[in-house]
Amino acid sequence: MNSLSPTSKITWLIAKLFKDKDRKSIIRIIGEVLYLSIVHRSIPYHYFSRYLFRKDRTNLLDYIPNKKLHRIKPHFNDPDVSEVLENKLYFNLFYEPLGISVPKILMYNHRKMFVTGNTSVEINNSTDFRSILAELINRPESDGSVFIKRTYGSYGGDKIFKVTSDQLATDSLEVDNLYKEVIRAGYLFQETIKQHPDMCKLNPSCVNTIRFDTFIDQDGKVNVISAYLRMSINNLHVDNIGSGGCCVAVDMQTGKLKKEGYLVFQDYGGDMLTEHPVTKTVFEGFSLPYFEQAKALVIRAATLMPGLRLIGWDVAIGVSGPVLIEGNFDYDLTGNDLTEGGYRNNPVFRKVLEEIHYS
């Protein structure tokens, strides 16, 4: 889909919508789009990305347009302290000493200067880069791979790489290109998380993560607003929905997945899943291990970051418990709006809206 021209993509999407057996009538769709245009005083693009054209979507006003969602976070987050979450190196250095489980950093760099352990070394060619990667990958406790992610400025799965021992031995061109990319900026080299076996039943190609978001209310209490699971559907090593993945809502009381998985509308035209297309694992009723511990983890992480009151957290479920991957002060709320069936439905998020007198 990404290779199609904008005109071809629109044509394809329209054709998909017409063929959807669960869609509303075209007259009703047009009427609802016009109605929302008047209510929100803008074109309601979210009508399609939130699947509001489907017959079972009747609570139209519970869904919040993208532009309005994006304007909410600045009311609650102090930019002066955002760097702790924005910079992934600072994130680890801040949270690890406080007893928060985070991925282990094996090495980091700034351009050609690499720091591993207590020493720094300048690496000027891909051959030396390959050698130091081999040392990281071949550690006795390693699973034969290393995760590499940009220290700052990586979003939606961009600038994230996974290198395995096989790739290191057989694909010299890929390693050469990776070296050229890494020395342009700063990157973290992290130990690959060993995912809980139950999570591998859903999708073993990547570490599936739970996106939680938390809100610190006016009384200083940390509330977990919602959660949804993200996973790859294309055997990728990242789980972001924008990188070929899907998201499935989680029941906050039981830690079980709900029925449907959502895909990117502009890439998949409104398709939804009830099972993983590769593993065939059914979503509905699937219990996420260590869910209560994962909730406790993000509550503690949010408590330690009082200047940022509205945060999206990514949590992996490792073999022995949850691991905090990262926190996002400027996270995309559209996924929460989608998986919650309209974020106005969520009692905690209504507190957010009430505080800023959102109407």
Side-chain angles (χ1 to χ4, degrees), residues 13-260:
L13 289 171
I14 292 173
K16 289 276 291 184
L17 189 149
F18 268 93
K19 291 178 181 178
D20 191 331
K21 60 181 174 53
D22 294 319
R23 68 167 171 80
K24 300 168 183 173
S25 70
I26 295 301
I27 292 176
R28 184 175 174 185
I29 290 174
I30 293 172
E32 289 181 345
V33 168
L34 290 174
Y35 168 68
L36 290 176
S37 298
I38 295 170
V39 170
H40 296 299
R41 300 179 183 179
S42 62
I43 299 173
Y45 296 107
H46 71 293
Y47 183 85
F48 299 98
S49 61
R50 310 291 202 280
Y51 300 78
L52 301 185
F53 56 85
R54 295 212 162 194
K55 293 176 183 177
D56 61 346
R57 303 303 200 267
T58 57
N59 56 327
L60 302 182
L61 295 181
D62 287 333
Y63 292 84
I64 304 172
N66 295 12
K67 286 185 178 180
K68 291 188 176 182
L69 282 176
H70 295 329
R71 290 199 292 264
I72 290 173
K73 290 162 295 201
H75 290 275
F76 300 98
N77 294 331
D78 184 346
D80 289 340
V81 294
S82 64
E83 187 73 2
V84 175
L85 301 188
E86 184 77 2
N87 186 303
K88 293 176 176 60
L89 177 60
Y90 295 171
F91 178 84
N92 274 61
L93 294 178
F94 177 82
Y95 275 114
E96 188 173 27
L98 296 173
I100 299 290
S101 177
V102 293
K104 182 179 180 181
I105 295 177
L106 305 174
M107 181 171 71
Y108 60 91
N109 78 295
H110 179 70
R111 302 193 188 281
K112 292 186 177 182
M113 294 303 300
F114 289 73
V115 177
T116 176
N118 294 318
T119 61
S120 62
V121 60
E122 185 173 358
I123 298 180
N124 293 300
N125 55 70
S126 60
T127 300
D128 291 344
F129 180 65
R130 187 179 292 107
S131 297
I132 201 166
L133 279 183
E135 291 179 14
L136 300 182
I137 291 174
N138 295 326
R139 294 171 305 113
E141 63 273 28
S142 172
D143 73 339
S145 66
V146 64
F147 243 87
I148 305 171
K149 62 175 67 173
R150 189 158 176 170
T151 306
Y152 43 84
S154 64
Y155 305 97
D158 185 37
K159 307 300 183 184
I160 298 177
F161 309 92
K162 182 180 181 181
V163 180
T164 66
S165 55
D166 288 342
Q167 289 173 314
L168 200 62
T170 62
D171 199 336
S172 59
L173 179 59
E174 183 173 348
V175 175
D176 290 347
N177 290 334
L178 178 59
Y179 170 71
K180 293 174 184 177
E181 171 63 39
V182 165
I183 62 173
R184 290 191 185 120
Y187 278 79
L188 294 184
F189 297 72
Q190 294 181 326
E191 185 176 70
T192 301
I193 295 170
K194 295 178 181 178
Q195 184 170 238
H196 192 283
D198 285 356
M199 302 300 285
C200 289
K201 292 177 184 177
L202 282 165
N203 173 45
S205 70
C206 74
V207 175
N208 311 294
T209 60
I210 306 170
R211 164 57 62 86
F212 289 96
D213 58 343
T214 57
F215 172 58
I216 303 177
D217 63 26
Q218 290 177 305
D219 296 325
K221 179 184 177 183
V222 177
N223 304 264
V224 181
I225 310 175
S226 69
Y228 63 85
L229 181 70
R230 307 186 305 178
M231 68 196 93
S232 168
I233 61 168
N234 295 326
N235 288 322
L236 297 176
H237 62 267
V238 293
D239 58 8
N240 306 76
I241 186 171
S243 302
C246 75
C247 58
V248 186
V250 182
D251 185 305
M252 293 298 294
Q253 301 304 314
T254 66
K256 293 181 179 180
L257 297 184
K258 296 185 180 180
K259 183 177 181 180
E260 294 169 331

